[in-house]
Amino acid sequence: MSYLLPTTILLPLLGGALLLLLFRNEPLRGSRLATIFASLTLIAAVVLASRFWNAPAIETGAVQPRLLWKTSEIPLTFLSQTPPVIRFQLGLDAPGIAMILLTSIVMVAILLVVPRQIESKTTEYAASLLFAESFLLGAFLSMDLVSFYIFFELTLLPVMVLMIGWGTDQSRPATRKFVLFTLAGSLPMMAGLAGMATLASPNAFDLTIAI
């Protein structure tokens, strides 16, 4: 069932892309399609949760992921002659179950109610929600520093779009502050993650460290 880990992340991402490409001028059908993809994501999350308790722990330690999925090592050859490598690794642990289920349930509820109250750009609104869901699930399922940081930062993009496109009259000043505060937090986070990777890895050129 490890293939369900990337599938759970890709489902809302695919749904959001289809909305923007095919249903931008059909808000009613777009909202229905968004709800369908959110519901499929919820089903995948429920299946993952049901399989979790029967799956053995793959790694020992403070974090014991199950249903692990990972890519092969990717060398960053443009950085040096002895390039560092990264790999994207997803896994499910006990806290992750609660977070992916909660995210999936809330997203279905939002898409059932809120788009009907949006007067303009309903499809874009629903697509932004699906993108946010996809990146949130990616952050919750990440089992390494690189993929967690990437998904965490990507989550901020659809949130900013929602603030600008469907916020109040004060949304633009609020968005500017949001960008400044997140940037002020993201840069130290990136430096901290790089430091952790350097100190924790037995191989100084392995930039992806399991959380």
Side-chain angles (χ1 to χ4, degrees), residues 15-76:
L18 288 177
L19 288 180
L20 295 180
L21 292 174
L22 303 177
F23 298 96
R24 179 167 290 184
N25 298 321
E26 301 179 58
L28 182 59
R29 294 180 63 187
S31 297
R32 291 175 178 173
L33 182 65
T35 305
I36 291 173
F37 272 93
S39 300
L40 291 174
T41 304
L42 175 58
I43 293 172
V46 170
V47 173
L48 281 176
S50 66
R51 297 289 182 178
F52 173 82
W53 302 109
N54 296 324
I58 297 174
E59 298 180 10
T60 60
V63 179
Q64 298 182 357
R66 307 182 187 187
L67 306 177
L68 194 67
W69 178 90
K70 61 183 178 180
T71 65
S72 57
E73 293 182 347
I74 305 172
L76 304 180

Side-chain angles (χ1 to χ4, degrees), residues 189-208:
M189 181 189 293
M190 181 172 62
L193 293 180
M196 288 178 60
T198 301
L199 295 174
S201 176
N203 179 4
F205 296 102
D206 188 353
L207 298 183
T208 299

